[in-house]
Amino acid sequence: MENGDASAHLKESFKAFRDDAIWLRHCYDMYRELYEADGERDALLLRTAGSFFFDLNIILTEYLILQIAKLTDPAMSKVRGGKRDNLTVEYLDASLTKQGLMVPEIISISGRLKTYRNLVDDTRNKLVGHNDLKARLANQSIGRHARQEVENFFEDLQKYCDAVGCQIGVGPLDFRTQAGPGDVIDLIRVLQSDT
């Protein structure tokens, strides 16, 4: 098959996956803008509504872990009475392979996305998706890793979406920047002007 010969179902599935990746990136950018800016930003959030922003940090962190895991879950899940397809990297990889569209570049990027999943999997399984008694009572950090590994994951997610999009004839779509009216940057400006 040549580029563009992908099935309509694969194209539709990929577009839905990419929409989920865009949403994940948007949530991550919001988190970064709030919690990874600098000490001044931390002080601003603490002065404005410390408890609220502390709680929101936990919520966003858990949500990001859950969404990363969802996009990198296995292609199928066992459910009562059978199996269910999951719209994930593995599902798209299998679809590309089945249609003769898999290429080494996508295999490589896909592997890196799955490797990153291993870094967040324990946290997802023990503290976000479930409440593992031993992990909860230990009250220790699980799955801690460097900021650069997170950045690499999001860069690889962009590369994966672009490579798959090009391979199936949908094309690339840069979603690394999504600022707009009413976003977190506007919130920060308002908070700064009120203090």
Side-chain angles (χ1 to χ4, degrees), residues 126-127 131-142:
K126 293 180 179 179
L127 297 174
N131 207 11
D132 180 270
L133 178 64
K134 186 176 179 180
R136 180 66 180 89
L137 294 180
N139 201 26
Q140 295 176 342
S141 179
I142 297 174

Coordinates of all heavy atoms in Angstrom, one line a residue, residues 126-127 131-142:
K126 N -1.2 1.8 41.1 CA -1.2 1.7 42.6 C -1.9 2.9 43.3 O -2.4 2.8 44.4 CB 0.2 1.6 43.1 CG 0.8 0.2 42.8 CD 2.2 0.1 43.3 CE 2.8 -1.3 42.9 NZ 4.2 -1.4 43.4
L127 N -1.9 4.1 42.6 CA -2.4 5.3 43.3 C -3.5 6.1 42.5 O -4.3 6.8 43.1 CB -1.3 6.3 43.7 CG -0.2 5.7 44.6 CD1 0.9 6.7 44.8 CD2 -0.9 5.3 46.0
N131 N -6.4 2.0 44.6 CA -5.9 2.5 45.9 C -5.2 1.3 46.6 O -5.7 0.8 47.5 CB -7.0 3.1 46.7 CG -6.6 4.1 47.7 OD1 -5.4 4.6 47.6 ND2 -7.4 4.5 48.6
D132 N -4.0 1.0 46.1 CA -3.2 -0.1 46.6 C -2.9 0.2 48.1 O -2.3 1.3 48.4 CB -1.9 -0.2 45.8 CG -1.0 -1.3 46.3 OD1 -0.2 -1.0 47.1 OD2 -1.2 -2.5 45.8
L133 N -3.3 -0.7 48.9 CA -3.1 -0.5 50.4 C -1.7 -0.2 50.8 O -1.4 0.8 51.5 CB -3.7 -1.6 51.2 CG -3.6 -1.6 52.7 CD1 -4.4 -0.4 53.2 CD2 -4.0 -2.9 53.3
K134 N -0.8 -1.1 50.4 CA 0.6 -1.0 50.8 C 1.2 0.4 50.2 O 1.9 1.1 51.0 CB 1.4 -2.1 50.2 CG 2.8 -2.2 50.7 CD 3.5 -3.5 50.2 CE 5.0 -3.5 50.6 NZ 5.7 -4.7 50.1
A135 N 1.0 0.7 49.0 CA 1.5 1.9 48.4 C 0.9 3.2 49.1 O 1.6 4.1 49.4 CB 1.2 2.0 46.9
R136 N -0.4 3.1 49.4 CA -1.1 4.2 50.0 C -0.5 4.5 51.4 O -0.3 5.6 51.9 CB -2.6 4.0 50.1 CG -3.4 5.1 50.7 CD -3.3 6.4 49.9 NE -4.1 7.4 50.5 CZ -3.6 8.2 51.5 NH1 -2.4 8.2 51.9 NH2 -4.4 9.1 52.0
L137 N -0.4 3.4 52.2 CA 0.1 3.5 53.6 C 1.6 3.9 53.6 O 2.0 4.5 54.6 CB -0.2 2.3 54.4 CG -1.7 1.9 54.6 CD1 -1.8 0.7 55.4 CD2 -2.4 3.1 55.3
A138 N 2.4 3.5 52.6 CA 3.8 3.8 52.6 C 4.0 5.3 52.4 O 5.0 5.9 52.8 CB 4.5 3.0 51.5
N139 N 3.0 6.0 51.8 CA 3.1 7.4 51.5 C 4.4 7.9 50.9 O 5.0 8.9 51.3 CB 2.8 8.2 52.8 CG 2.3 9.6 52.6 OD1 1.8 9.9 51.5 ND2 2.5 10.5 53.5
Q140 N 4.9 7.1 50.0 CA 6.2 7.4 49.3 C 5.9 7.7 47.8 O 4.9 7.2 47.3 CB 7.1 6.2 49.4 CG 7.6 5.9 50.8 CD 8.5 4.7 50.9 OE1 8.5 3.9 50.0 NE2 9.2 4.6 52.0
S141 N 6.7 8.5 47.2 CA 6.6 8.8 45.8 C 6.8 7.5 45.0 O 7.8 6.8 45.3 CB 7.6 9.9 45.4 OG 7.5 10.2 44.1
I142 N 6.0 7.3 44.0 CA 6.1 6.2 43.1 C 6.2 6.8 41.7 O 5.5 7.7 41.3 CB 4.9 5.3 43.2 CG1 4.7 4.7 44.5 CG2 4.9 4.2 42.1 CD1 3.5 3.9 44.7

